[in-house]
Amino acid sequence: MRIAVGSLFQESNEFVSRHTELDLFHNSYIYEREDLHLLAPTNTEVAGVLAICKENDAEVVPLTAAACVPSGSLSKACYTYLRKSILAPMREAMPVDGVILCLHGSMTVVSEGDPEGDLLEAVREIVGPRVPIVATLDLHAWITPKMVSAATGLVAYTHYPHDDTYSTGERGASLLIATVLGKVRPVMAMCPVPLVAAGCNGMTFGDGPMAHLTARARAYEQDPAVLSTSCCAVHPNNDQPELGSSTVVITDGDIQLASDLAGVLAREMWDRRQGFVPEIFEVAEAVRKGESMDGGPVLLVDTADCAGGGAPGDSVALLAELLKLGVAGRTHIMVVDPAAAKKCADADVGAAVSLELGYHVEPRWGKPIQVSGVVERITDGRFRYTGGIYGGTDGMMGTSAVLRISQTYVLIMSRPTYDWADEQYASVGLDMRLAKFIGVKNPMNYRHAYRESAKASFLVDTPGPTPADVRRLPYERRLRPFFPIDEDIENLEFPIVVNC
Ligand SMILES: [Zn+2]
């Protein structure tokens, strides 16, 4: 049994102006052909796929595995290169018995709104109609009809925060191999939901809407006829005409059952839509509430500048507000500013420096501020992810410095990196236990990183390309109506897209 394995993983953001080029992938990884096996000891979907192939004595035909931090749409040249580096070894390796691609689902390309659909279609063209193709996806995927018709199975993460990347790879590969061996005959139904919400309330534990949906989805999977159930709350930071959330159900030969269950889940997602809208605080109010509490840390969640959602991480809106307020207590905060990081590194540890800080990568969302402080630490910015989608791989912030402004410790990084736990702060010696306030640029993973230690957390109302309230985003192409721009939609229908 020969299984072709590839991966192309990025969450794009069409509300940032710069495009993603190959250098950004090189900062994470591009493993071509045999090098794909370098992912085996990681937490990635590819690692889970490789393990299942090994267990089943399947020969792996390695294509290319490439991933990078979320950022703007891929340039045409970048996508063309990566597409080719997956398809060329695929063509050479024919015939294969099955194909698995580990994708995100919310990647965009300047010239192609639905690159995952395009890639799956291209693979389908190579392997023909009979060879099964499975794709794994992020829970924040935008699943399109093109993807559904090209793939045999689409299997998304079931957890947010995403700590199930490896097991998603295992699930996808198990489905593929069972199909190749003729043990199952997957048929798939997808139901789109016109819901475009920020991830802040989308955790799959607790009492939020996604927790309820996830519980129902897992209950469906108790039926041996149901092979996989995915509920995808879309990454809201793209501006495509049909962008939205969806549900996908794969059954063993029963398309009616798949369609019925996908439809029920989609209606439930829509009915719970108000639960996706988070409570947001003015910075001053969040600080006032935090200061009235004993101890810390109190998290100030600056979701609007989430590098994990494609933002540049260069916003100083929160820092400016905190300095203006003269916050009492030790504060940790982070910002991407390569020129400022270099200036600190050139000045060396212990030096007093004055800098223009912030909004140098993406001037669209604000203006730099003038700060003066003491350089406390300089590092090369390398750290190892302790878990999540990049678990076991290295993150690279580039030259980084800690600048102390009175009691505020600013981690200045040269490059944005995805946040999983507190790896960035920890790598420069900023211990969360010492802080009264911590600035966090993420809508969700902080719940995981600071679960044991945070006193409280407040989503703050700041500008940026990944805001907690998506009504702040200047959508132009997404066709109305959709929630939450439109509170309700009259005579809403839930059309089912099938592949059987
Ligand atoms: Zn995600």
Side-chain angles (χ1 to χ4, degrees):
M1 181 169 34
R2 303 180 77 231
I3 303 292
V5 181
S7 174
L8 178 51
F9 190 96
Q10 196 223 25
E11 185 176 74
S12 305
N13 187 322
E14 293 187 314
F15 296 100
V16 300
S17 47
R18 72 196 185 292
H19 298 145
T20 295
E21 302 291 352
L22 281 178
D23 61 336
L24 206 59
F25 279 92
H26 282 296
N27 286 340
S28 295
Y29 58 81
I30 302 179
Y31 293 137
E32 300 197 32
R33 299 184 185 242
E34 288 299 325
D35 282 353
L36 176 138
H37 288 282
L38 292 171
L39 286 172
T42 66
N43 229 8
T44 57
E45 298 91 311
V46 170
V49 168
L50 295 176
I52 292 295
C53 286
K54 195 172 175 186
E55 235 178 81
N56 288 275
D57 289 322
E59 181 196 338
V60 170
V61 176
L63 307 173
T64 279
C68 78
V69 291
S71 188
S73 296
L74 275 63
S75 72
K76 189 176 179 188
C78 177
Y79 177 61
T80 303
Y81 178 87
L82 294 170
R83 183 182 191 273
K84 198 173 161 195
S85 73
I86 288 175
L87 298 181
M90 175 94 244
R91 274 193 204 94
E92 289 166 27
M94 287 300 288
V96 296
D97 299 296
V99 183
I100 183 159
L101 295 183
C102 303
L103 309 173
H104 185 289
S106 284
M107 192 171 86
T108 51
V109 177
V110 174
S111 52
E112 169 63 65
D114 178 14
E116 280 100 343
D118 168 67
L119 188 61
L120 287 165
E121 231 171 38
V123 171
R124 175 58 73 205
E125 236 167 69
I126 294 171
V127 300
R130 305 183 70 87
V131 171
I133 302 171
V134 169
T136 64
L137 300 169
D138 191 282
L139 178 146
H140 300 109
W142 170 40
I143 298 181
T144 63
K146 208 190 243 192
M147 292 162 70
V148 174
S149 62
T152 315
L154 300 169
V155 175
Y157 303 160
T158 59
H159 288 183
Y160 187 39
H162 305 318
D163 58 1
D164 62 333
T165 46
Y166 185 91
S167 61
T168 302
E170 289 182 313
R171 288 192 295 123
S174 299
L175 174 65
L176 179 67
I177 288 174
T179 309
V180 171
L181 295 176
K183 292 181 180 170
V184 294
R185 193 179 74 79
V187 291
M188 176 161 63
M190 184 272 280
C191 187
V193 185
L195 168 80
V196 181
C200 311
N201 280 5
M203 60 280 186
T204 51
F205 58 86
D207 193 35
M210 287 302 285
H212 288 276
L213 279 161
T214 301
R216 190 190 278 263
R218 295 296 79 75
Y220 287 164
E221 287 171 352
Q222 297 305 305
D223 179 345
V226 178
L227 302 176
S228 171
T229 308
S230 300
C231 299
C232 291
V234 76
H235 166 68
N237 309 112
N238 282 313
D239 192 11
Q240 295 292 325
E242 308 280 342
L243 183 83
S245 301
S246 60
T247 61
V248 177
V249 178
I250 304 171
T251 63
D252 190 2
D254 188 343
I255 195 60
Q256 191 58 50
L257 177 64
S259 305
D260 290 348
L261 298 184
V264 172
L265 284 167
R267 275 168 206 280
E268 175 164 357
M269 189 186 269
W270 178 253
D271 289 343
R272 292 186 181 277
R273 63 193 178 281
Q274 294 294 350
F276 285 89
V277 179
E279 188 179 12
I280 303 168
F281 296 84
E282 295 296 326
V283 175
E285 190 189 355
V287 167
R288 201 166 50 242
K289 283 177 181 284
E291 282 179 336
S292 71
M293 296 171 181
D294 283 334
V298 172
L299 308 182
L300 302 171
V301 184
D302 184 11
T303 294
D305 191 32
C306 172
D314 71 342
S315 165
V316 286
L318 175 60
L319 174 63
E321 193 78 8
L322 294 178
L323 293 176
K324 199 169 83 189
L325 290 165
V327 172
R330 180 174 167 132
T331 301
H332 298 170
I333 195 162
M334 60 169 72
V335 60
V336 171
D337 190 323
K342 183 173 186 310
K343 191 165 179 188
C344 290
D346 289 347
D348 219 342
V349 172
V353 294
S354 290
L355 299 165
E356 201 184 55
L357 190 65
Y359 293 121
H360 282 129
V361 185
E362 181 76 66
R364 175 177 179 178
W365 297 96
K367 287 194 167 56
I369 57 172
Q370 199 67 38
V371 297
S372 301
V374 176
V375 179
E376 294 276 323
R377 180 108 185 228
I378 299 161
T379 75
D380 67 0
R382 182 184 282 263
F383 63 88
R384 174 64 54 97
Y385 283 108
T386 57
I389 56 176
Y390 293 106
T393 67
D394 284 342
M396 282 175 259
M397 308 185 285
T399 299
S400 298
V402 176
L403 182 73
R404 183 172 61 78
I405 308 166
S406 182
Q407 290 190 85
T408 300
Y409 292 73
V410 188
L411 165 56
I412 305 175
M413 308 163 286
S414 292
R415 288 200 288 263
T417 48
Y418 173 83
D419 292 68
W420 171 245
D422 71 329
E423 289 99 341
Q424 285 90 341
Y425 285 131
S427 75
V428 294
L430 291 177
D431 183 343
M432 67 165 94
R433 292 167 301 185
L434 302 176
K436 171 68 185 178
F437 289 103
I438 300 179
V440 176
K441 294 191 175 190
N442 192 284
M444 177 57 62
N445 294 347
Y446 68 89
R447 295 179 196 264
H448 166 87
Y450 299 93
R451 188 169 36 204
E452 309 286 320
S453 50
K455 194 89 190 166
S457 61
F458 299 98
L459 282 172
V460 293
D461 190 18
T462 44
T466 52
D469 183 350
V470 301
R471 285 170 290 203
R472 269 180 169 256
L473 288 173
Y475 292 105
E476 285 173 2
R477 281 176 288 174
R478 177 58 173 101
L479 299 169
R480 302 277 298 273
F482 67 99
F483 183 83
I485 306 287
D486 303 286
E487 286 278 315
D488 207 352
I489 300 176
E490 234 177 279
N491 302 321
L492 178 62
E493 286 176 13
F494 293 88
I496 305 280
V497 180
V498 300
N499 182 347
C500 51

